[in-house]
Amino acid sequence: MLLIPAIDLKDGQCVRLKQGVMDGATVFSENPAEMARHWIDQGARRLHLVDLNGAFAGKPKNEPAIKAILKEVGEEIPVQLGGGIRDLDTIERCLDDGISYVIIGTAAVKNPGFLHDACTAFPGHIIVGLDAKDGKVAVDGWSKMTGHDVIDLAKKFEDYGVEGIIYTDIGRDGMLSGVNVEATVKLAQALKIPVIASGGIASIDDVKALCAVADEGIMGAITGRAIYEGRLDFKQAQAEADRCVAG
């Protein structure tokens, strides 16, 4: 199981939010490319980038920082990017720049036709990010709840040909309150495509809890605040994940 460090970008800096609130951002680095190098050196095998300004604006806003990260990473590991990706031209530009996987969130829910077109045009490169609370999907930077059931939507998107689902429990993201393992497993069991867990990883115990259910279809977990604040040793956690799965 992969542990995937999150590099959340706001105004060109690496930050973390609590429950998606932009005003409450904590700046962890003013050099995101340097941060990407740090996580690779710690053993990361994939990076998760989020253009936070882009997510709120509906179009990419941190392209210089993203390009600097991609230049630093080269072809060492895959990089996935979400935030403000709303059209096919943007997806094509991201992939041309060196992004391996493009994450579509709000646009997938609001405009399923766009997602279908994206999967057709760029097979193998599209991941859907579903943010949910109490089983219902949220959109627009988590500011609006929809009536959509997360499992029903995920199944529909699986049929479109998406590569995987990133599932975030928005009640827990950035709060260091533990992963919602039960909800993540329930989603993974309903799908054939892999699920990446996101939101709430606080300690090595959360990593162990996810490893215990990895064979249900959970291929990885995104981690942010815990590794930045030193509550979780990334290198140790990835070693633990490798050990669990190997065992």
Side-chain angles (χ1 to χ4, degrees), residues 11-208:
D11 306 330
Q13 299 176 318
C14 172
V15 306
R16 289 300 290 165
L17 307 185
K18 285 188 178 180
Q19 294 184 311
V21 180
M22 285 288 268
D23 291 343
T26 304
V27 177
F28 284 110
S29 173
E30 295 183 358
N31 189 334
E34 199 174 81
M35 188 56 71
R37 171 52 52 197
H38 169 74
W39 295 128
I40 291 173
D41 290 346
Q42 290 292 306
R45 300 200 287 270
R46 187 185 289 206
L47 292 176
H48 176 77
L49 309 187
V50 181
D51 184 339
L52 292 170
N53 302 100
F56 284 85
K59 58 184 178 181
K61 289 288 187 181
N62 281 282
E63 286 184 282
I66 292 164
K67 285 182 178 178
I69 289 169
L70 291 170
K71 186 178 179 184
E72 179 64 44
V73 172
E75 296 183 3
E76 288 183 65
I77 61 171
V79 176
Q80 58 194 41
L81 170 69
I85 295 166
R86 304 279 196 272
D87 59 65
L88 296 179
D89 287 344
T90 302
I91 295 173
E92 186 169 26
R93 198 163 70 245
C94 290
L95 296 176
D96 285 347
D97 286 344
I99 293 292
S100 301
Y101 303 102
V102 169
I103 303 158
I104 302 175
T106 292
V109 181
K110 288 186 164 183
N111 187 358
F114 160 59
L115 178 66
H116 192 278
D117 290 346
C119 289
T120 302
F122 308 106
H125 293 286
I126 307 299
I127 293 174
V128 167
L130 289 178
D131 307 327
K133 190 174 184 180
D134 302 324
K136 299 298 179 186
V137 174
V139 294
D140 292 334
W142 308 349
S143 61
K144 296 175 188 167
M145 296 303 298
T146 72
H148 294 298
D149 179 84
V150 67
I151 290 177
D152 289 345
L153 257 192
K155 282 183 170 178
K156 182 165 94 169
F157 296 159
E158 179 178 53
D159 290 342
Y160 287 0
V162 303
E163 188 70 12
I165 301 286
I166 295 173
Y167 173 68
T168 305
D169 183 322
I170 63 176
R172 301 189 186 212
D173 187 73
M175 301 303 287
L176 298 169
S177 56
V179 179
N180 191 336
V181 175
E182 184 182 358
T184 307
V185 168
K186 192 176 173 187
L187 178 62
Q189 288 174 334
L191 301 172
K192 298 182 184 71
I193 55 174
V195 170
I196 297 173
S198 174
I201 285 186
S203 69
I204 197 76
D205 290 338
D206 293 314
V207 175
K208 289 177 180 176

